[in-house]
Amino acid sequence: MECLLYLTLYPTSADIPNNVSVNLVPFKTIHLYIKFEGNIMLQIINLLGNVVVFIPIGLFALSLMRRVTLLIIFIIGLGSTLFIEFMQLILSITGIISRSFDVDDLILNTLGVLIGYIIGVIGKKLTLLKAATVR
């Protein structure tokens, strides 16, 4: 969890801007990164990184909660990423950090939480299947 907070709320090395960047158009930033013809690592970090870093939340929620559904995981994913995006917005407005509020981050981060949940469900089923065949 500390790593996630570091990646999302720690001040960047860039100078603190006088204006705050906000994207409320779904898939706008994702589309820009897909069409970007520069450094492929920038694309990977910004697209895949936003998904991968949130996978553990889906795994942890599945292992920590007794009864969990895809809807509950979706709400957890959206809620946690919305919290982080709003914190980035507030801290950027106050000049503490230099980050942006981007609806595409909400989409990618929530997708990561859902993927973590799906991986966990598959892992549990495989474990139960393996245990049943060992008997």
Side-chain angles (χ1 to χ4, degrees):
M1 186 58 111
E2 291 175 21
C3 180
L4 182 61
L5 292 175
Y6 175 81
L7 290 171
T8 58
L9 296 177
Y10 191 76
T12 61
S13 60
D15 293 330
I16 306 296
N18 290 334
N19 59 351
V20 177
S21 173
V22 176
N23 172 36
L24 299 176
V25 180
F27 303 103
K28 179 181 177 182
T29 306
I30 293 170
H31 184 280
L32 288 173
Y33 279 118
I34 290 172
K35 295 292 183 186
F36 183 68
E37 294 183 7
N39 183 353
I40 193 164
M41 286 307 296
L42 184 65
Q43 293 168 293
I44 292 170
I45 289 169
N46 283 288
L47 293 175
L48 193 58
N50 270 312
V51 173
V52 170
V53 76
F54 280 83
I55 289 174
I57 292 177
L59 291 167
F60 291 143
L62 182 63
S63 65
L64 295 175
M65 299 173 70
R66 187 172 280 230
R67 306 242 337 143
V68 63
T69 64
L70 191 60
L71 178 61
I72 291 170
I73 291 296
F74 175 78
I75 292 168
I76 289 170
L78 184 62
S80 60
T81 60
L82 192 58
F83 171 77
I84 290 169
E85 288 298 311
F86 272 122
M87 289 304 299
Q88 288 178 343
L89 181 63
I90 291 167
L91 294 173
S92 293
I93 288 171
T94 58
I96 296 172
I97 64 173
S98 177
R99 298 287 182 146
S100 63
F101 180 96
D102 195 330
V103 70
D104 289 346
D105 287 347
L106 292 174
I107 293 167
L108 294 169
N109 298 160
T110 303
L111 179 63
V113 174
L114 293 171
I115 289 170
Y117 170 76
I118 292 166
I119 290 170
V121 168
I122 292 169
K124 276 188 171 183
K125 289 186 183 205
L126 289 175
T127 303
L128 290 172
L129 183 64
K130 185 177 180 180
T133 59
V134 170
R135 290 182 197 178

